[in-house]
Amino acid sequence: MQPGDLVFCTTTGVLGKAIRFAQRRNKEVDWKRNHVAALDRFENGVWYVIQAEPHGVTSDKQLLNIAIGGTFEIRELPSVVDAEKFLEYLRSRVGDDYSFSTIASCALNMIFPERLYFRWANGLICSGLIALALTFGGFAPMETATDLYSLTPAQVMSLTQDS
């Protein structure tokens, strides 16, 4: 494991279950993972992650505490990504708000045929944060994503698994 590696989680809360339901309904390949974060640093024998969570974008959570009752899987950052730029972007967003409106937009887009977006400029969801950081790090496959801000964890996993 090294800084920048991706962490895909299955959590046990209501929001996690709703995200998995939506991913499964949309027939996304890796629908069982509902959260994504990145390893930030190894300090005093403990790994810390950067993630977008309901408290905002944080870097103070320990890896072993982000999926309590659930599971997580570490995947190497794709080799084509500049890890320094990837981490630089993530660290620059620490303190930003979580985008509950993006989550609401994703839920509404499952119901309505027209895409509706209700986001604010500084708010992010976990998969949007990682997608933007991957783009900043030079990960070309993100160019195929229709909306980096609204990607699901399953879509991020799918785009990064073969790289």
Side-chain angles (χ1 to χ4, degrees):
M1 295 191 311
Q2 56 190 334
D5 284 351
L6 303 174
V7 183
F8 291 94
C9 304
T10 301
T11 62
T12 59
V14 173
L15 185 57
K17 289 176 184 175
I19 292 167
R20 287 193 305 278
F21 171 79
Q23 292 177 148
R24 185 175 186 189
R25 182 171 180 241
N26 292 341
K27 298 180 170 86
E28 294 179 21
V29 176
D30 295 307
W31 64 268
K32 293 180 182 180
R33 300 297 187 176
N34 61 272
H35 181 64
V36 61
L39 295 179
D40 180 32
R41 66 193 183 283
F42 189 70
E43 198 171 89
N44 299 321
V46 176
W47 277 103
Y48 289 85
V49 299
I50 295 178
Q51 63 180 345
E53 59 171 327
H55 303 290
V57 179
T58 62
S59 63
D60 63 341
K61 303 300 184 298
Q62 295 179 9
L63 171 63
L64 296 178
N65 293 332
I66 65 169
I68 294 175
T71 61
F72 65 86
E73 171 186 351
I74 309 291
R75 291 208 175 170
E76 286 184 24
L77 186 65
S79 61
V80 296
V81 176
D82 182 328
E84 287 182 31
K85 286 184 178 264
F86 175 75
L87 287 165
E88 174 188 340
Y89 181 83
L90 290 173
R91 290 171 180 150
S92 77
R93 299 306 297 257
V94 170
D96 284 0
D97 292 327
Y98 186 77
S99 183
F100 289 101
S101 60
T102 298
I103 291 291
S105 289
C106 293
L108 289 172
N109 289 333
M110 287 180 56
I111 300 166
F112 297 108
E114 184 86 22
R115 289 252 177 221
L116 303 170
Y117 296 103
F118 306 102
R119 302 192 277 263
W120 65 86
N122 291 330
L124 292 166
I125 60 174
C126 66
S127 45
L129 172 67
I130 298 299
L132 290 165
L134 286 165
T135 302
F136 193 80
F139 189 60
M142 282 298 154
E143 295 171 8
T144 64
T146 55
D147 181 3
L148 293 174
Y149 292 91
S150 297
L151 284 178
T152 66
Q155 290 168 327
V156 172
M157 185 178 239
S158 181
L159 286 167
T160 58
Q161 69 184 349
D162 295 327
S163 299

